[in-house]
């Protein structure tokens, strides 16, 4: 029986409840009085249940879809304004003992070179990222207790934080590594990580076990309960996600929202982020081999519905997606994107053939400067801000500020400060000119006069060479 307060995976992601939800959604997909009531509830900005959201997903009425999209835009503006946070992945190692059939790093793939970065190589990678202008990284690693033990990950984090090159510094490291123990999550917390990210891949237990035939990741319950252990270990912010294309998307959507409801019920804080990756081509991986792929329109609908269902969570879309798809997704609620990404080990400093160590094909190949300019041309503030992590505005504290609207007095000025840093240190002349105009205009949109005055003061100091101001 579905129990969001249970700590057991098969109870808070109850297969029977998911199936009942899909049946309920099918039965009510044309029930316009019910759909109207759900839309009215969504308009309050307090979220939807997995059953309510599933009804909207099942509904094929174009007018309803248009209204969902408009609601998603409104809710995104209300909670996150026009800011888009930018980050980059850093792949540490592609050694892996798992047999995930959708990932080229699976242990039976013998024709990709296995590579693990040394600390000296990490320094070179991070300097290259700093020279682009990045301040926030998400580190990635295959699961291999011999080659990639937690001690290696912790050493890498320490190295990354120690690197200061010109005006560059990585201010926050988010971590996407395999499920582990409460004790190990405590060690990651002590290392100063930001968000702990772990994709479920699929919530369908039978499919999960088939897709992960061997290796520690085969254990569905241990993987699905990882976020509970992370929060028990003191990590305030966790990031969810499924890999769309592996299972039926309506099943995944309902279960994803159930997972969010579970975290809220048990810990009082839902997911800090939700990612929406789709399976992509990679070495020895053909997406057409998986028969649950989704169209760009369905992808857009999922983004919009996640935004109105979990209005307080950050939403992430990576360079897996094309510029056009990312542009649409940003309009529908996405608040974080990667930029100038390389998904290979050593990819920022080495001339590696695309099929050598890439985890997936990168669709958006633009430079970071091009991404920043594109965002501004579309009315978004590119933000490299990490102040909330460093000031302790995480977990329930962050959520309280977000829900009250007070977060704008922190995030909006900090976004402008970090944009100013980027413009002065890394931007092309064209991007700099556009950004200076945006900063001048957006200063007027800081709600609190005192915060606006402080931001103006810090902007002037940044222009004089000072760095790293934060509210």
């Amino acid at each position: 029986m579905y129990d969001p307060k249970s700590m057991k995976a098969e109870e808070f992601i109850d297969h029977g409840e998911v199936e009942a939800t899909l049946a309920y959604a099918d039965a009510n997909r044309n029930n316009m009085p019910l759909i109207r009531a759900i839309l009215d509830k969504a308009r309050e900005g307090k979220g939807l249940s997995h059953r309510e959201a599933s009804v909207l997903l099942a509904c094929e009425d174009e007018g309803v879809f248009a209204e969902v999209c408009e609601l998603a835009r409104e809710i995104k503006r209300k909670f996150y304004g026009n800011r888009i946070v930018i980050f980059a992945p850093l792949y540490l190692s592609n050694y892996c003992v798992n047999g995930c059939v959708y990932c080229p790093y699976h242990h039976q793939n013998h024709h990709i070179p296995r590579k693990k970065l040394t600390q000296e190589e990490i320094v070179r990678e991070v300097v290259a990222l700093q020279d682009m202008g990045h301040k926030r990284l998400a580190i990635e690693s295959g699961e291999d207790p011999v080659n990639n033990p937690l001690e290696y990950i912790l050493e890498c984090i320490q190295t990354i934080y120690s690197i200061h090159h010109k005006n560059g510094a990585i201010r926050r490291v988010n971590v996407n590594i395999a499920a582990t123990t409460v004790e190990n999550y405590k060690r990651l917390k002590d290392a100063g990580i930001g968000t702990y990210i772990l994709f479920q891949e699929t919530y369908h237990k039978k499919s999960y076990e088939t897709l992960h035939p061997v290796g520690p990741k085969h254990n569905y319950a241990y993987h699905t309960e990882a976020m509970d252990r992370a929060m028990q270990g003191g990590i305030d912010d966790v990031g969810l996600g499924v890999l769309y294309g592996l299972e039926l998307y309506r099943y995944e959507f309902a279960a994803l929202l159930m997972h969010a409801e579970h975290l809220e019920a048990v810990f009082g804080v839902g997911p800090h982020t939700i990612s929406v990756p789709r399976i992509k081509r990679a070495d020895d991986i053909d997406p057409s081999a998986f028969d649950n792929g989704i169209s760009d329109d369905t992808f857009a609908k999922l983004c919009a519905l996640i935004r109105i269902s979990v209005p307080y969570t950050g939403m992430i879309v990576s360079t897996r997606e094309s510029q056009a798809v990312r542009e649409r997704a940003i309009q529908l609620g996405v608040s974080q994107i990667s930029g100038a990404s390389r998904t290979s080990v050593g990819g920022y400093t080495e001339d590696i053939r695309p099929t050598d160590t890439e985890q997936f094909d990168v669709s958006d190949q633009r430079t970071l400067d091009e991404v920043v300019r594109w965002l501004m041309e579309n009315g978004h503030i590119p933000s490299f801000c990490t102040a909330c992590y460093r000031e302790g505005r995480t977990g329930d504290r962050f959520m309280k500020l977000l829900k009250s609207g007070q977060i704008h007095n922190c995030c909006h000025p900090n976004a402008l400060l970090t944009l100013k840093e980027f413009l002065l240190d890394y931007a092309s002349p064209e991007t700099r000119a556009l950004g200076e105009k945006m900063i001048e205009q957006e200063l007027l949109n800081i709600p609190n006069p005192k915060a606006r005055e402080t931001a103006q003061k810090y902007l002037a100091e940044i222009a004089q060479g000072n760095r790293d101001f934060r509210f």
Side-chain angles (χ1 to χ4, degrees), residues 1 51 91 134 148 230 291 312 354 356 393 415 439:
M1 180 178 294
R51 284 206 172 192
Y91 282 73
H134 279 294
N148 315 324
D291 56 6
Y312 315 123
D356 273 353
R393 292 189 292 266
I439 289 173

Side-chain angles (χ1 to χ4, degrees), residues 197 199 239-242 244 256 273-277 306 314-317:
I197 303 161
F199 297 162
L240 305 180
V242 296
Y244 287 102
L256 175 71
T273 59
I274 292 177
S275 299
V276 286
I306 290 171
M315 285 181 60
I316 300 175
V317 65

